Amino acid sequence: MYRFLLPTCFIFLLGSCTVQDHLNPEESNPCRVSYTLNRLDTYLIPPGETVTLGQQVTGISGSYFIVADILDLNGQQYAVNGKSEDLRSGGEESNAAFEYDSQGRLSKAVIRYRRPTATITTAYEYLSPTELQITQTDDYGHYPVPPSFTKIVPLNSLGLVIDPNVTYDAEGYVIRRGSTNYNIVNGNNVGNDAERYEYDLTKPNPIPNPFFFYGKKDKNLRTDIISLDTSTKIEFDLKYIYDEQGNLKYDILMFNYPDTDPRVRVHINKYEWSCPQ
């Protein structure tokens, strides 16, 4: 039922000592993410082929898409798709639209899944410093009026959702979720039992997450992922592309298995922002 009571990525939050402050994302940037596209469909442009914006190509998903941008990644060009709510853009997962209240807190999230096709609308109302009301409507196209469910979840003194399956440290970082433990160093999750992460401590983490009530997001820019699985060698390459205002436009994960399959896989997420005029 409450599939989005759990966070889909890591998170904003806190700073000073009042609970009202804890309920606001800790961001010097006044812009808020308004739209995300998760795992865009891509087309690797062969050498010598010309692809232009607006052209129709066949993506790695096997579906047609209209080229919205062309990215140069490690000397190779990738055509990527753009916003398309009808097709639920994102070659694999979803797109999402976000709205905020006057204090900059998430008030509504509309997440559209491609597989299975569904639109999940969730409204957030901050009833008090210790209570968050979540109303979720799941539209799978089965009913003329999709069912809605409302739940009030308790918040701790940091404004974080109290969940028996989650443990936070004193600063509000998640150190356990379910059976997975996280090691927090200098405000960053540096790893778990499966992977280790490295960061550039001179650069802030540009990846937004409006679900600030599920714990603080990493403080700095993640630069590498190291798999701890010794049976399978895998190499990762992380890249970030920014828009003219300095907000993150794309975060890109490239990876391959050099010993068994050297082909490079590419996962690209896109972000759109709403900034005060």
Side-chain angles (χ1 to χ4, degrees):
M1 182 182 297
Y2 290 95
R3 63 189 297 181
F4 288 107
L5 297 185
L6 292 177
T8 55
C9 42
F10 291 122
I11 307 175
F12 292 148
L13 190 69
L14 76 133
S16 60
C17 28
T18 70
V19 174
Q20 182 170 341
D21 287 337
H22 291 316
L23 289 175
N24 287 277
E26 186 186 60
E27 288 274 305
S28 58
N29 185 349
C31 300
R32 294 284 178 265
V33 63
S34 59
Y35 198 87
T36 66
L37 289 166
N38 183 28
R39 293 180 69 171
L40 273 70
D41 209 354
T42 61
Y43 171 67
L44 175 59
I45 303 175
E49 180 178 330
T50 299
V51 172
T52 59
L53 301 183
Q55 181 177 333
Q56 181 175 278
V57 297
T58 303
I60 194 171
S61 70
S63 300
Y64 294 112
F65 70 84
I66 302 300
V67 177
D69 207 347
I70 297 175
L71 307 180
D72 193 325
L73 305 174
N74 294 346
Q76 294 186 303
Q77 289 193 318
Y78 291 82
V80 298
N81 64 350
K83 181 186 291 188
S84 176
E85 295 182 3
D86 292 338
L87 297 178
R88 296 188 182 331
S89 282
E92 293 293 334
E93 296 296 337
S94 65
N95 64 41
F98 302 102
E99 297 177 9
Y100 302 85
D101 65 15
S102 60
Q103 297 184 48
R105 303 172 300 188
L106 179 66
S107 61
K108 183 179 179 181
V110 180
I111 301 180
R112 298 174 176 86
Y113 275 81
R114 181 169 183 172
R115 287 189 290 267
T117 300
T119 298
I120 311 298
T121 302
T122 309
Y124 301 90
E125 184 177 355
Y126 305 87
L127 301 179
S128 75
T130 59
E131 290 184 321
L132 173 63
Q133 178 174 290
I134 301 176
T135 300
Q136 181 171 305
T137 303
D138 297 350
D139 186 358
Y140 289 89
H142 302 323
Y143 304 100
V145 179
S148 292
F149 310 93
T150 297
K151 182 177 182 179
I152 296 176
V153 298
L155 306 176
N156 66 16
S157 61
L158 299 179
L160 306 176
V161 170
I162 297 174
D163 184 335
N165 294 312
V166 177
T167 302
Y168 307 100
D169 68 9
E171 295 182 81
Y173 293 97
V174 174
I175 57 176
R176 179 189 65 86
R177 190 179 301 281
S179 61
T180 303
N181 296 306
Y182 303 95
N183 185 18
I184 305 299
V185 177
N186 296 322
N188 299 304
N189 168 26
V190 298
N192 51 54
D193 295 337
E195 295 176 332
R196 181 166 59 86
Y197 310 119
E198 295 182 352
Y199 296 85
D200 183 341
L201 300 183
T202 68
K203 296 179 180 178
N205 178 6
I207 297 178
N209 191 327
F211 300 98
F212 61 93
F213 35 76
Y214 288 115
K216 296 184 74 171
K217 70 172 185 176
D218 294 322
K219 180 180 179 180
N220 297 112
L221 180 80
R222 183 174 292 181
T223 58
D224 201 6
I225 302 173
I226 297 94
S227 173
L228 302 181
D229 182 358
T230 57
S231 64
T232 303
K233 184 178 181 182
I234 182 171
E235 296 178 348
F236 294 95
D237 187 9
L238 302 178
K239 298 183 181 299
Y240 305 88
I241 296 175
Y242 299 83
D243 64 19
E244 295 178 352
Q245 288 72 43
N247 294 310
L248 184 66
K249 186 175 183 180
Y250 296 105
D251 81 75
I252 301 158
L253 171 64
M254 307 180 73
F255 63 97
N256 70 301
Y257 302 86
D259 293 340
T260 57
D261 186 354
R263 292 177 301 169
V264 175
R265 284 84 164 169
V266 180
H267 292 169
I268 302 176
N269 300 323
K270 184 178 180 180
Y271 305 89
E272 296 180 6
W273 297 79
S274 175
C275 301
Q277 301 299 318

